[in-house]
Amino acid sequence: MAQPPKTATGPGRVLVAVYAIFALAATSRAGVQIATKFHEAPVAYLLSALAAVIYVLATFALARSGETAWRIALAACAVELLGVLTIGTLSIFDSAAFPQATVWSVYGQGYLFIPLVLPVLGLLWLRRTAPRPQNPIDRPVG
């Protein structure tokens, strides 16, 4: 039985590159916000930092092969999607709670909604590259 493609091959390379760009952008944004104006909107800036950590984690996990990296990437993409949907919804219905935008505010509107689409693409790619159980006949004996 053929093994699924590695997460960092083919379209996965583009996905890793986009995640890397978002990791850099979110990390830079959060770093500047926390260093210069943390007192203005600590929750929003800490959420941006959380988004940065998730993007970094997803980038490295998607770039690696193996079941452990696949599971980490799956968790990172799932948490990212949950974060985008939660913060996106809260930022629309309770805008006073978010006086400054986060990466995930209004579903990533400030980033052309890429934060909303990216975890969906990541999860679809991970589904395609999911590790498959080995066939008992193919397992080495001993």
Side-chain angles (χ1 to χ4, degrees):
M1 176 183 262
Q3 288 295 319
K6 294 180 181 179
T7 54
T9 60
R13 287 184 182 194
V14 175
L15 191 63
V16 169
V18 174
Y19 264 103
I21 291 166
F22 268 79
L24 181 61
T27 302
S28 301
R29 177 183 181 149
V32 169
Q33 289 172 328
I34 290 170
T36 61
K37 49 188 179 178
F38 183 72
H39 63 280
E40 291 179 15
V43 172
Y45 299 152
L46 289 174
L47 286 170
S48 287
L50 175 63
V53 169
I54 292 170
Y55 286 130
V56 168
L57 187 62
T59 301
F60 283 107
L62 286 165
R64 310 241 344 143
S65 60
E67 189 172 344
T68 302
W70 183 89
R71 288 182 188 275
I72 291 169
L74 180 66
C77 290
V79 169
E80 177 191 355
L81 182 59
L82 180 64
V84 171
L85 293 174
T86 303
I87 301 308
T89 302
L90 288 173
S91 65
I92 290 171
F93 292 107
D94 188 10
S95 59
F98 298 94
Q100 297 293 325
T102 73
V103 174
W104 294 339
S105 291
V106 192
Y107 308 109
Q109 181 180 27
Y111 290 92
L112 304 174
F113 299 101
I114 295 171
L116 179 61
V117 175
L118 196 56
V120 173
L121 293 176
L123 290 169
L124 290 171
W125 181 248
L126 288 166
R127 181 178 179 198
R128 184 170 186 256
T129 61
R132 296 186 183 125
Q134 285 186 339
N135 184 341
I137 295 171
D138 295 339
R139 288 191 195 145
V141 179

